[in-house]
Amino acid sequence: MATSMSFFLLLSLLAFAPLCFCNYFQEGKLYPQFYDYSCPQAQNIVKSILAKYVQQQPRLAASILRLHFHDCFVKGCDASLLLDSSENIISEKGSNPNRNSARGFEVIDAIKAALERECPSTVSCADILTLAARDSVVLSGGPSWEVPLGRRDSRDASISGSNNNIPAPNNTFQTILTKFHLHGLDLADLVALSGSHTIGNARCTTFRQRLYSQISGNGKPDSTLDQYYAAALRNRCPRSGGDQNLFFLDYATPYKFDNTYFKNLLAYKGLLSSDQILLTDQESAELVKSYAENNDIFFQQFAKSMIKMGNISPLTNSRGEIRENCRKINA
């Protein structure tokens, strides 16, 4: 009788096993519980260290979010952007989109060092960057979401990919949309993820052409830019010089993650050309209006799009490695 009961108990456990574990341990898939047993304090460590840095320098929240975006659009979310140049690697940090503007690497270094002390060779730099991007949004007042985990780190970088694949401030709407489509992202993702410009800064050199119409040569501001706003910008972004002068992407609530960015666009006060051109496409413009009217709808789509972006070509299983130092590959 005891043997019979044990047999039926075993059958019951086997029958329910797929229901219990299929969402947690899918081969090659990312899932939020990846470190629950190997490094249960991982997410707490990431957020606590990040919070200290952001408290001292609120601008870092946007910088970390930008690092994640620039990493995922080149070879996938594999922490290739974090690699320094070496004998066999040309760092993506020197590409046009990153040179003199990518920052926050010391934050990732500090988080990695703490995680190596807690659970050596366990948490990837790619996952650290993805978690830190989510937490940067949360610390700025934005939405939270469960981050699928289990990425591994690349052993190389691609400066050509960094120069060519990341959307640029002066790209056309179709060019930017094409770059998103190449990574499996759609129009809704493009508009929602552009909303990350609700925090952060841009350099004078990235939008100067809008102030002086250097393409047309008439010396007048872009007609899609509010003229009073343009005049204020010209005070600190001259026709020549001042390339590195910083300006808030969202002048109204620069450190708060909210939907004001979209309200600015409707008032023709988008700082970058790549921001304001979201109104040149009918479907895109409708999304801008929707997000401007309803912060909750924006937050919901932003979270979905961040998860989607974080799933761009991750390295899993035996591909890549778990770097001990995010700036260089393991020996």
Side-chain angles (χ1 to χ4, degrees):
M1 183 67 174
T3 303
S4 177
M5 289 294 290
S6 298
F7 175 73
F8 283 116
L9 179 60
L10 178 59
L11 284 179
S12 297
L13 290 173
L14 288 173
F16 283 103
L19 295 176
C20 296
F21 300 107
C22 64
N23 292 328
Y24 293 81
F25 304 106
Q26 296 183 52
E27 188 73 10
K29 298 291 184 179
L30 306 178
Y31 52 94
Q33 301 82 7
F34 189 84
Y35 297 110
D36 280 5
Y37 296 102
S38 60
C39 193
Q41 292 301 312
Q43 297 202 41
N44 290 334
I45 290 173
V46 172
K47 188 169 186 177
S48 63
I49 293 178
L50 176 67
K52 293 177 182 178
Y53 276 90
V54 171
Q55 183 177 28
Q56 296 171 357
Q57 296 184 60
R59 181 186 165 204
L60 278 171
S63 299
I64 297 297
L65 184 56
R66 184 170 184 263
L67 287 184
H68 180 47
F69 180 86
H70 283 206
D71 179 49
C72 290
F73 266 63
V74 182
K75 296 171 65 270
C77 308
D78 60 2
S80 61
L81 173 56
L82 303 181
L83 288 168
D84 287 339
S85 291
S86 64
E87 183 178 352
N88 299 313
I89 293 174
I90 300 177
S91 176
E92 294 169 17
K93 297 174 183 178
S95 70
N96 291 328
N98 295 323
R99 187 172 58 251
N100 298 323
S101 64
R103 58 194 298 275
F105 298 105
E106 73 282 4
V107 181
I108 305 301
D109 291 339
I111 294 171
K112 180 60 175 176
L115 285 169
E116 284 298 301
R117 291 191 294 269
E118 177 74 14
C119 33
S121 302
T122 302
V123 183
S124 70
C125 300
D127 276 345
I128 291 173
L129 187 51
T130 310
L131 285 168
R134 187 272 311 273
D135 292 340
S136 292
V137 172
V138 174
L139 289 168
S140 302
S144 184
W145 59 91
E146 275 198 318
V147 177
L149 300 166
R151 299 166 191 78
R152 289 168 65 85
D153 303 321
S154 68
R155 292 181 55 81
D156 58 9
S158 175
I159 191 168
S160 62
S162 187
N163 277 321
N164 297 314
N165 297 345
I166 298 172
N170 59 350
N171 280 163
T172 66
F173 177 81
Q174 192 56 52
T175 297
I176 295 174
L177 184 58
T178 297
K179 289 181 178 181
F180 271 70
H181 281 162
L182 289 174
H183 295 294
L185 303 174
D186 59 25
L187 180 63
D189 300 315
L190 165 58
V191 179
L193 292 174
S194 295
S196 63
H197 285 177
T198 182
I199 56 175
N201 299 265
R203 294 172 297 152
C204 169
T205 187
T206 62
F207 62 88
R208 174 183 282 121
Q209 79 282 357
R210 298 194 70 207
L211 303 180
Y212 303 98
S213 293
Q214 293 167 345
I215 296 177
S216 64
N218 64 10
K220 296 181 180 180
D222 187 336
S223 61
T224 64
L225 185 65
D226 177 88
Q227 301 307 292
Y228 294 102
Y229 182 47
L233 294 173
R234 290 171 78 151
N235 287 332
R236 292 190 54 246
C237 186
R239 189 183 296 271
S240 62
D243 287 3
Q244 305 305 313
N245 290 350
L246 293 175
F247 296 77
F248 292 127
L249 286 161
D250 170 4
Y251 72 94
T253 56
Y255 296 112
K256 184 179 180 182
F257 197 100
D258 57 20
N259 65 341
T260 304
Y261 162 83
F262 297 104
K263 297 177 182 179
N264 293 341
L265 297 188
L266 296 176
Y268 298 99
K269 295 180 180 179
L271 184 62
L272 305 179
S273 173
S274 55
D275 293 322
Q276 200 63 52
I277 59 172
L278 293 180
L279 292 184
T280 62
D281 173 84
Q282 183 176 354
E283 188 177 354
S284 172
E286 288 301 317
L287 287 171
V288 169
K289 293 174 185 176
S290 174
Y291 298 154
E293 292 170 359
N294 193 315
N295 195 64
D296 290 339
I297 292 177
F298 164 48
F299 277 14
Q300 290 169 14
Q301 183 58 53
F302 184 83
K304 291 178 182 178
S305 295
M306 284 294 289
I307 292 172
K308 196 172 174 182
M309 186 181 75
N311 277 286
I312 296 175
S313 304
L315 299 176
T316 58
N317 296 333
S318 60
R319 296 185 300 154
E321 65 181 12
I322 305 297
R323 287 187 217 140
E324 296 174 6
N325 181 330
C326 291
R327 293 177 179 265
K328 61 183 182 180
I329 62 174
N330 296 336

